[in-house]
Amino acid sequence: MPKKIIFTIFNILLFINSSAQVKKNKKSDLSPIFTNNDSETLLMVNILQKLNDSGDPINNYHWNKKLADLYYSQIETVPRDEKVKYWFKYCTQLLLAGENQNCINEIEALLQKQNLAYENLINKSNLPLIELLALAYLRLGEYNNCNNNHNEYSCILPLKDEAYHIDKEGSQKAIEIYSQIYKKFPIDKFKWLLNLAYMTIGEHPFNVPDSYFIKYPNWEKEKKDFPKFKEIAQNIGLAENGLSGGVSLEDFNNDGLIDVFLTSYGTKDQCKFFINKGSGFKDSTEEAGLAGLVGGLNTVHADYNNDGFTDIFILRGAWLGKGGKHPNSLLRNNGDGTFSDVTKSSGLLSFHPTQTAAWADVNNDGHLDLFIGNESRSNESHFCELYINQKNGKFLEKSSEYNLSSIKGFVKGVVFGDINNDQWPDLYLSVMGGVNLLFRNDFGIFKNISKSAGVEDPKYSFTSWFWDVNNDGFNDIFVSAYDESNLKNLSGDFVKELQGDQVISEKSKLFINNGDETFREESKSYNIDISMYAMGANFGDLDNDGWLDFYIGTGSPEFSSVIPNRMFRSIYGNQFEEVTSAGGFGHIQKGHGIGFADIDNDGDQDIYAVLGGAYEGDEYPNICFENPISSNNWIVIDLKGIDSNRSAIGSLLKIELDNGRTIYNSINTGGSFGANSLQAEIGLGKCKSIKMLKITWPNSKSQTFYNINVNKKYEIIEGQDKLSEKKYLKLRMSDNKKISHHN
């Protein structure tokens, strides 16, 4: 019988029996307990609550429970030839909502009732249904093991004994189905998922059939002496479960310890605030007056009002198009352990989809301004915004006056940096699907120099940042590739790259500053011309050698997108080597906000990563990697601006070491998706002392200090010619032993 006829018969049987099999399994949603009586905070809480209650699920694709209910209700009402489509949509939304077993039950019940074997239905027409079943089993195994029985080894490649699935049913069934699919459709995505499923039950590589076995020669080349980082989030109270979101690492209460602020994508997902107590972290969300402030894909922090306490800006609405008209939130730090939402009174209340913004003093008046990169689509125009600080707690939108009006595109990254060392912050935008933009700041008026600077690529890009990757005193630019046109081949690209095969998708770009306002693209020579598919990412110094390393969070919203997050270590500023496998960084959950900071006060930077996807059923606990490297020296510098902005954002540090080497550092929060601490945490290699430290403040004034001891924290106040040594005692957060490593 022809396949077309079989499929038609199958469809008829399907809709006749589907409604009897459909079972709704709703989860109750707990409303937050409002603890903040501040009227403006309550106003924002009410706005967010109304958006959640009244929004159209069709325009909010991640409202999967609501979408499942919607499609279920339409099965009986749509025309006969549409019933199958809506049943399939319903099953898909069950999976995306995390109702893995219900999705399986729906499909299996139908197959059983009609006496249909899935292997006989694996053809082009029916592949989506059988693939959905396989994926549901894979997700069931993941949820029952990695989520419900979560430990520090869960989902980190290469998997260890402690990470193997105790309940093997889900993976075993997925292997059974995917192997049948691969016989007829031998594509790399299915090949990768098969290998991954074998890994989860401890049968890779020895039990994987040769026909689809994947080797990892690139990872096998990694340095064996690079130490494993220990994942300690669960041990210290930071394994917060959520969807994609942002992170800000900062000392928000000025007690000398790094605290953690988190957001999550869901419209009912509470933002979280964790206070560092020295031996672990305390959830202080309600105490801080933040209950009811929900949602947010990213967050950036700074002291916008120069009162000495760091404030927070939450970004919302990204990816949702017409459904993304959500307000951002400016959270003023009150200095007493609480925050107040002052979005409306500050003049920042607007309704545009965004996930990216950056602070800088664009007019050098000593007060931080804010640029927001909004998302425009073909049928939705949302121009970017520049808010100028009015020095009284208020902002005015002034993009036209600064020659930044009419900027629209699908903006995914916004960063400020000084490309020509004139102490005026320049602006770079990563625009997915368009031309990336570089604006030179000419004394407060911006000029587009993207083309002449040579930094317009890649076409499909995401996170970005300024950094001095080669320590020559000039800021370079990194922008990750996120080839949206090739997302269906994401896993396949990863497999090809691992095995050294040619990858056709766009590659990330590293633009090296020539010192004349032009850049040269050097990703290939730095060994990072790869298809990273990076969303969140950030940079820091893993081994305190004075050369900047970076960590990327990978993936796409699709559940079949399960490639590992990756770490790259700088080799003397000349190239990068991957240490994903060697360092234990290869977490296969989707990575988003990434932050580097010395969380345990031992002189080296730890890494915090927000995990989880965009769909309701793709929640996962966040991770924190404790740095075990101790052999190199370091210095921590906390700058306090007086005439300049209090956060000292835009300040340049020049450090001359006793071995003749010079290190440069700029004060900012790092990349465009995830926020590092604003205190300068600088690796010094093997040097014994610092000969000279020069600070150039954003207003171009400078201070110079000589003969400074290493392995200490200092506070420097603008205009005061003294170093104030600050208490910096190592915290006891785990029993992970420090490991010596080369400089």
Side-chain angles (χ1 to χ4, degrees):
M1 187 178 295
K3 289 181 180 178
K4 186 175 181 180
I5 296 176
I6 293 175
F7 184 59
T8 301
I9 295 173
F10 177 63
N11 280 348
I12 293 172
L13 294 171
L14 183 63
F15 78 72
I16 290 175
N17 293 279
S18 62
S19 58
Q21 302 299 329
V22 174
K23 302 291 183 182
K24 289 187 281 186
N25 186 7
K26 295 183 178 180
K27 292 182 179 180
S28 61
D29 292 306
L30 298 177
S31 299
I33 301 173
F34 305 138
T35 58
N36 192 330
N37 293 319
D38 178 84
S39 60
E40 193 171 351
T41 301
L42 290 175
L43 171 65
M44 179 59 71
V45 168
N46 290 331
I47 291 173
L48 297 174
Q49 184 74 54
K50 184 177 179 180
L51 282 169
N52 182 80
D53 293 342
S54 63
D56 183 356
I58 297 297
N59 293 327
N60 291 274
Y61 70 91
H62 68 312
W63 289 4
N64 307 112
K65 295 182 179 68
K66 290 184 178 181
L67 280 168
D69 288 344
L70 175 64
Y71 293 135
Y72 173 77
S73 68
Q74 294 174 332
I75 292 174
E76 294 298 323
T77 60
V78 297
R80 182 181 177 89
D81 59 353
E82 292 285 300
K83 292 184 182 292
V84 172
K85 181 174 71 173
Y86 277 81
W87 178 84
F88 183 77
K89 286 182 176 182
Y90 168 71
C91 289
T92 301
Q93 293 302 322
L94 282 180
L95 177 64
L96 298 180
E99 303 290 346
N100 306 306
Q101 191 63 63
N102 282 354
C103 178
I104 291 169
N105 291 345
E106 283 292 315
I107 300 173
E108 292 278 20
L110 176 74
L111 297 179
Q112 184 177 5
K113 186 174 285 271
Q114 305 304 324
N115 197 27
L116 296 169
Y118 64 80
E119 57 264 30
N120 296 328
L121 293 169
I122 300 175
N123 53 55
K124 189 175 181 180
S125 298
N126 295 324
L127 180 61
L129 176 66
I130 306 305
E131 187 179 354
L132 183 66
L133 180 62
L135 190 57
Y137 273 114
L138 194 68
R139 294 288 302 180
L140 181 67
E142 179 183 333
Y143 186 83
N144 289 345
N145 292 275
C146 300
N147 291 63
N148 288 349
N149 294 296
H150 181 72
N151 62 56
E152 64 194 70
Y153 305 98
S154 297
C155 284
I156 298 175
L157 299 182
L159 296 179
K160 302 295 184 183
D161 290 351
E162 299 91 338
Y164 295 151
H165 289 186
I166 299 172
D167 179 0
K168 298 183 179 183
E169 181 182 0
S171 289
Q172 288 173 333
K173 192 67 177 179
I175 290 170
E176 179 185 331
I177 300 173
Y178 276 126
S179 62
Q180 294 292 328
I181 294 175
Y182 188 76
K183 288 179 181 178
K184 295 186 178 181
F185 299 93
I187 62 177
D188 284 331
K189 178 177 73 171
F190 300 137
K191 184 179 183 180
W192 165 245
L193 293 174
L194 272 165
N195 278 259
L196 183 63
Y198 275 103
M199 291 179 205
T200 65
I201 57 177
E203 295 187 8
H204 187 282
F206 54 87
N207 261 356
V208 183
D210 292 340
S211 59
Y212 48 79
F213 174 64
I214 298 174
K215 293 183 179 180
Y216 304 95
N218 284 4
W219 279 13
E220 292 170 1
K221 296 176 184 176
E222 294 184 14
K223 289 185 179 295
K224 304 303 180 185
D225 65 338
F226 194 88
K228 292 283 185 183
F229 280 53
K230 186 175 182 179
E231 204 285 281
I232 63 169
Q234 198 170 21
N235 298 340
I236 61 177
L238 286 179
E240 182 65 24
N241 199 58
L243 301 176
S244 58
V247 57
S248 283
L249 303 179
E250 192 56 82
D251 179 9
F252 289 105
N253 59 359
N254 291 351
D255 66 351
L257 306 178
I258 297 294
D259 310 305
V260 179
F261 179 82
L262 302 171
T263 60
S264 179
Y265 190 37
T267 54
K268 281 194 173 183
D269 292 352
Q270 173 68 52
C271 71
K272 291 296 184 72
F273 180 54
F274 294 89
I275 294 292
N276 191 335
K277 306 299 289 187
S279 59
F281 287 79
K282 178 187 176 183
D283 186 343
S284 302
T285 306
E286 291 191 11
E287 295 173 28
L290 297 171
L293 295 175
V294 295
L297 194 61
N298 197 10
T299 173
V300 290
H301 61 272
D303 184 359
Y304 80 92
N305 56 1
N306 290 345
D307 66 351
F309 292 93
T310 304
D311 315 292
I312 301 168
F313 191 66
I314 302 174
L315 295 130
R316 300 187 178 97
W319 295 106
L320 297 179
K322 291 182 178 181
K325 297 174 183 175
H326 294 198
N328 303 316
S329 279
L330 177 61
L331 305 182
R332 184 188 64 210
N333 189 335
N334 297 318
D336 59 359
T338 69
F339 293 81
S340 294
D341 192 303
V342 294
T343 312
K344 184 179 180 181
S345 61
S346 69
L348 293 177
L349 183 63
S350 61
F351 296 83
H352 305 284
T354 184
Q355 63 154 57
T356 186
W359 297 96
D361 186 358
V362 302
N363 54 9
N364 269 336
D365 66 352
H367 294 261
L368 289 171
D369 313 298
L370 181 67
F371 187 93
I372 303 174
N374 294 317
E375 294 180 351
S376 290
R377 299 176 183 263
S378 59
N379 59 348
E380 283 280 318
S381 292
H382 296 275
F383 295 97
C384 296
E385 303 162 282
L386 175 63
Y387 288 95
I388 299 299
N389 197 322
Q390 301 301 294
K391 309 177 187 179
N392 58 359
K394 300 182 184 297
F395 294 80
L396 290 177
E397 209 289 313
K398 296 282 189 177
S399 58
S400 61
E401 294 183 21
Y402 287 78
N403 200 33
L404 291 173
S405 62
S406 302
I407 299 175
K408 67 176 183 177
F410 202 58
V411 180
K412 304 312 296 177
V414 171
V415 284
F416 283 102
D418 187 1
I419 65 168
N420 52 12
N421 292 338
D422 64 353
Q423 292 305 112
W424 289 85
D426 309 300
L427 175 65
Y428 179 81
L429 305 182
S430 167
V431 184
M432 182 178 289
V435 175
N436 297 327
L437 302 171
L438 176 62
F439 294 90
R440 185 184 67 212
N441 188 341
D442 292 341
F443 311 106
I445 302 298
F446 287 87
K447 180 180 180 180
N448 188 343
I449 62 169
S450 314
K451 188 173 183 178
S452 63
V455 296
E456 294 182 317
D457 295 328
K459 179 180 179 181
Y460 296 101
S461 60
F462 210 114
T463 189
S464 56
W465 56 70
F466 285 101
W467 61 347
D468 190 353
V469 70
N470 55 3
N471 257 325
D472 66 351
F474 288 92
N475 266 318
D476 313 299
I477 298 172
F478 173 84
V479 56
S480 72
Y482 192 86
D483 198 336
E484 191 179 32
S485 68
N486 200 50
L487 283 182
K488 291 184 178 180
N489 298 319
L490 182 153
S491 298
D493 277 356
F494 173 70
V495 171
K496 285 184 172 64
E497 186 211 312
L498 272 183
Q499 299 182 112
D501 298 331
Q502 183 66 33
V503 177
I504 62 172
S505 60
E506 276 198 296
K507 312 299 190 299
S508 299
K509 302 295 182 182
L510 175 62
F511 296 106
I512 300 297
N513 195 329
N514 294 319
D516 59 359
E517 300 182 0
T518 67
F519 294 77
R520 64 186 186 275
E521 206 288 298
E522 293 284 358
S523 59
K524 188 171 184 178
S525 65
Y526 275 76
N527 201 33
I528 55 172
D529 59 327
I530 58 177
S531 56
M532 294 180 177
Y533 293 100
M535 289 189 168
N538 221 321
F539 63 90
D541 187 355
L542 288 179
D543 47 9
N544 279 340
D545 64 354
W547 304 102
L548 295 173
D549 317 299
F550 69 102
Y551 187 54
I552 64 171
T554 65
S556 77
E558 298 306 313
F559 277 4
S560 58
S561 170
V562 282
I563 64 175
N565 303 312
R566 304 170 72 175
M567 181 73 80
F568 295 86
R569 175 180 176 265
S570 176
I571 307 300
Y572 306 114
N574 296 317
Q575 62 177 330
F576 289 93
E577 65 175 4
E578 186 164 6
V579 291
T580 299
S581 175
F585 299 110
H587 212 294
I588 61 173
Q589 297 294 328
K590 299 174 180 65
H592 296 275
I594 308 291
F596 283 70
D598 186 5
I599 291 174
D600 55 2
N601 272 12
D602 63 352
D604 50 34
Q605 292 186 307
D606 311 293
I607 301 103
Y608 191 87
V610 176
L611 304 182
Y615 299 119
E616 289 176 323
D618 208 5
E619 291 186 344
Y620 196 82
N622 299 335
I623 55 175
C624 182
F625 291 111
E626 184 188 35
N627 194 325
I629 305 171
S630 67
S631 63
N632 288 330
N633 296 318
W634 50 272
I635 189 171
V636 175
I637 301 172
D638 190 8
L639 297 182
K640 305 293 186 186
I642 301 297
D643 295 328
S644 303
N645 68 87
R646 185 65 176 266
S647 295
I649 290 174
S651 297
L652 175 65
L653 281 67
K654 180 181 180 182
I655 304 172
E656 294 182 359
L657 309 181
D658 59 5
N659 59 8
R661 184 181 168 196
T662 301
I663 294 174
Y664 296 89
N665 187 280
S666 299
I667 303 300
N668 54 56
T669 56
S672 62
F673 203 162
N676 300 341
S677 170
L678 287 168
Q679 68 178 16
E681 301 166 350
I682 304 171
L684 304 173
K686 296 298 185 183
C687 86
K688 303 297 184 184
S689 66
I690 296 172
K691 290 176 59 177
M692 188 269 290
L693 166 64
K694 181 180 180 180
I695 301 162
T696 304
W697 297 89
N699 59 14
S700 296
K701 296 179 180 179
S702 63
Q703 293 174 254
T704 305
F705 303 89
Y706 300 94
N707 302 319
I708 302 168
N709 294 326
V710 301
N711 299 335
K712 296 182 180 295
K713 178 179 180 178
Y714 298 97
E715 180 184 79
I716 301 175
I717 300 175
E718 184 179 9
Q720 297 184 12
D721 291 326
K722 68 176 182 178
L723 292 172
S724 298
E725 185 177 342
K726 307 298 289 186
K727 183 179 179 181
Y728 206 65
L729 298 176
K730 180 180 176 349
L731 308 180
R732 298 180 61 85
M733 290 199 177
S734 85
D735 58 358
N736 199 20
K737 295 181 178 179
K738 291 291 171 180
I739 301 172
S740 294
H741 190 58
H742 61 277
N743 67 339

